[in-house]
Structure formats: structure tokens, C-alpha cells
Amino acid sequence: MLLLAVVLCGCGGSGADGEAVRVHFDALSGFEAHLKILSDLEQSVLEYEMDYVYNKEDVDSFTITAPESLAGIGGTIAGEDSASVTLQYDGLSLDDAMPQRTGLTPADAMFCLMDDLRKGEPVQIWSETASGTELVALKYAYDSEDGKIEKQVWLTEDGLQPVCAELYADGARVLTIQVTAYQET
């Protein structure tokens, strides 16, 4: 189910490099996006949708829009290298709602992915075409005390807009993120 049914064809070298991606995302002050997330954690598969607001100078925020039973739950995420998550619903807040493995949950995955794009060095970069759109694909890999973390992210070649990402823990895919709407602010 690579890229949530986006059919990819063609591979080859990319015109973008890690430095160009870092410069672009380091200069990006903010964006608003609608995300579809497939979470495959601990032998259960869950689907989420959320509106995500990235703000480089302040906190990021998200609001779950689906499934209906979770719609309206939101949160803020702040920090530099690791996120500080606050969940909110109907006027109530839960501070320090940190996941066990930072960056691998629907709540903090986009925040940590943005940190990779701003500061990380991809271990591999390649080009692909999906539905007539030229994409740059980047792979990040980290060994941590929690195990091996790998992330693959696809950006439009023209504009470097996020299209989708796959996140792996110890070789197993745990999250797939599809960006269905994106607007820089």
C-alpha cells in the first residue's frame, strides 16, 4: 500500500539535494495541511484525518477531523529536538502526553518529520513520478536506544511541498502520512 495507493513509476537521480531541502524548510515560516494518517501500531490499524498547522516561530497545532469519535480533539506541539505535546478537548488539557517512541505517533509524526527536513541529512535521495507529478524522495535513518527508525518522505520536485511519508520502527512500517491539502502561510 505504498503511498496510500499512489502508483509510482520511474526512478533516477534527483535535481534536489539534502542541502536544498534543509534550506527550503529552514526558511519556511509556516503551513496549513490536511493529513490522512494510517497508524499500524501494536497489531491494530487505525485511520485518522487531521488539520495540521506548522508554525516555525511558535507551536504547531493539530485538530483531529476523523474518525468521528475523535473529531475535535486537538493539540499543540512545541520544542526543538523533541516535542512537548499537550492534548486538548472541550476546554480540558493534558500536558506531557509524550508518546513512548517520539515521532512515531499520529500526534507528533509531522512535527518530528519537519525537524528532519529542516536539520537532517538524508541517507538516500531519488526521483519518482506519481500521477504525472515529479517527486523528490528522501530517506532518513537513525539508530537510537529505542531501536532503528527510518523515514521516507516524498516532496514535489517543484516547490518541495510534502506529498506523503512512511515511518518505520525496526523495519516495520508504523505510520503512513498522506498530505491531501497544503498551503504555505
Side-chain angles (χ1 to χ4, degrees):
M1 196 165 97
L2 181 63
L3 301 177
L4 290 174
V6 173
V7 178
L8 296 176
C9 61
C11 291
S14 168
D17 61 19
E19 181 64 21
V21 170
R22 282 190 300 278
V23 167
H24 173 79
F25 283 98
D26 194 46
L28 181 63
S29 62
F31 67 80
E32 296 177 3
H34 186 78
L35 310 176
K36 290 185 177 184
I37 300 174
L38 183 66
S39 174
D40 192 359
L41 295 172
E42 299 181 20
Q43 301 178 359
S44 65
V45 177
L46 301 170
E47 294 182 43
Y48 301 93
E49 290 190 35
M50 69 173 60
D51 292 326
Y52 193 91
V53 177
Y54 168 73
N55 184 339
K56 179 182 174 185
E57 299 301 322
D58 200 2
V59 298
D60 292 9
S61 62
F62 66 89
T63 303
I64 298 172
T65 58
E68 189 175 325
S69 61
L70 299 176
I73 294 176
T76 58
I77 305 170
E80 285 293 319
D81 295 328
S82 63
S84 171
V85 178
T86 300
L87 294 178
Q88 304 163 332
Y89 182 72
D90 201 25
L92 300 174
S93 293
L94 173 63
D95 287 327
D96 198 27
M98 288 305 302
Q100 289 181 331
R101 293 183 87 172
T102 302
L104 296 177
T105 67
D108 69 344
M110 193 67 177
F111 177 88
C112 292
L113 193 59
M114 289 303 298
D115 192 57
D116 293 328
L117 292 169
R118 280 192 326 268
K119 301 174 187 173
E121 180 63 40
V123 296
Q124 188 177 4
I125 301 174
W126 67 96
S127 294
E128 295 184 5
T129 303
S131 302
T133 302
E134 296 295 320
L135 302 175
V136 176
L138 302 102
K139 180 179 181 178
Y140 298 89
Y142 307 97
D143 288 317
S144 71
E145 55 191 49
D146 290 333
K148 184 174 179 119
I149 306 298
E150 294 177 304
K151 301 176 184 181
Q152 293 182 80
V153 59
W154 286 262
L155 310 169
T156 61
E157 195 168 276
D158 180 31
L160 298 177
Q161 295 181 353
V163 175
C164 61
E166 293 181 341
L167 288 71
Y168 297 83
D170 301 319
R173 185 176 57 208
V174 295
L175 282 179
T176 303
I177 302 169
Q178 182 180 20
V179 180
T180 60
Y182 178 87
Q183 178 66 48
E184 293 181 4
T185 57

